[in-house]
């Protein structure tokens, strides 16, 4: 009887241990897939922004819808998207240098905003200006500070908008969040608001031409 009882206890321990092992590997496998999926999206954002700067056009723009959430093994993952522009001096192989910007995209866990899951960046000789939604208008974010997009907000910031302009031979890239929900909550209206703010900040010639 004692042997039978011990066997049942050992079996229970074995089942518990196996469950823990399976849960551990499932959790870690889910985390790997989540990192891969978010990294793929961030790389896409970086490449889209970089390619927008390549053609020698005076003005071009691109809205990029972002996911409302991610899923891993049936569990939803809520996140925030962070965009940071850092002004820096770019050095070339011939020894010359130019003032430019490093644009960084990163995904953070919404429950722990300091936990960066994945990131992607590129350097450009364009000047990048990041605008955040303020009270009734948009505001320029200083170099090195992050714009945080929350696609789960009551008014969801579900689209990342890019506008490239060339003014007096210098490329400028404007990055800002927008909301695409209805005709009264649309990226077109947000784009107009950012253009008006850029005009106030930098002058008439910088107002969006496209």
């Amino acid at each position: 009887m004692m042997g039978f009882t011990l066997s049942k206890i050992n079996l229970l321990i074995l089942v518990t241990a196996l469950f823990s092992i399976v849960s551990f590997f499932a959790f870690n496998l889910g985390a790997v897939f989540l990192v891969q999926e978010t990294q793929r999206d961030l790389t896409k954002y970086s490449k889209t922004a970089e390619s927008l700067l390549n053609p020698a056009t005076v003005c071009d723009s691109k809205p990029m819808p972002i996911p409302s959430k991610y899923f891993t093994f049936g569990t939803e993952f809520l996140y925030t998207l962070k965009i940071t522009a850092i002004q820096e001096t770019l050095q070339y192989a011939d020894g010359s240098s130019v003032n430019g910007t490093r644009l960084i995209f990163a995904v953070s866990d919404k429950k722990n905003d300091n936990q960066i899951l994945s990131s992607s960046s590129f350097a450009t000789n364009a000047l990048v200006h990041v605008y955040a939604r303020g009270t009734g208008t948009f505001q320029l974010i200083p170099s090195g500070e992050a714009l945080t997009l929350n696609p789960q907000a009551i008014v969801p910031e579900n689209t990342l908008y890019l506008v490239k302009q060339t003014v007096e031979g210098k490329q400028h890239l404007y990055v800002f969040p927008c909301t695409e929900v209805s005709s009264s909550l649309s990226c077109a209206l947000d784009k107009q608001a950012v253009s008006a703010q850029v005009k106030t900040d930098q002058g008439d010639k910088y107002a969006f031409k496209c």
Side-chain angles (χ1 to χ4, degrees), residues 125-190:
N125 58 12
L127 294 179
V128 181
H129 313 272
V130 180
Y131 278 79
R133 195 187 303 275
T135 304
T137 184
F138 283 82
Q139 299 172 343
L140 179 65
I141 293 180
S143 172
E145 294 187 14
L147 162 68
T148 300
L149 274 70
N150 180 8
Q152 290 291 317
I154 296 175
V155 179
E157 295 173 321
N158 55 14
T159 304
L160 179 63
Y161 213 106
L162 307 173
V163 177
K164 185 277 297 283
Q165 292 213 123
T166 303
V167 180
E168 296 178 348
K170 183 66 175 178
Q171 286 188 326
H172 296 258
L173 180 66
Y174 298 89
V175 182
F176 55 92
C178 64
T179 300
E180 193 63 60
V181 176
S182 63
S183 58
S184 59
L185 281 173
S186 70
C187 286
L189 295 176
D190 288 334

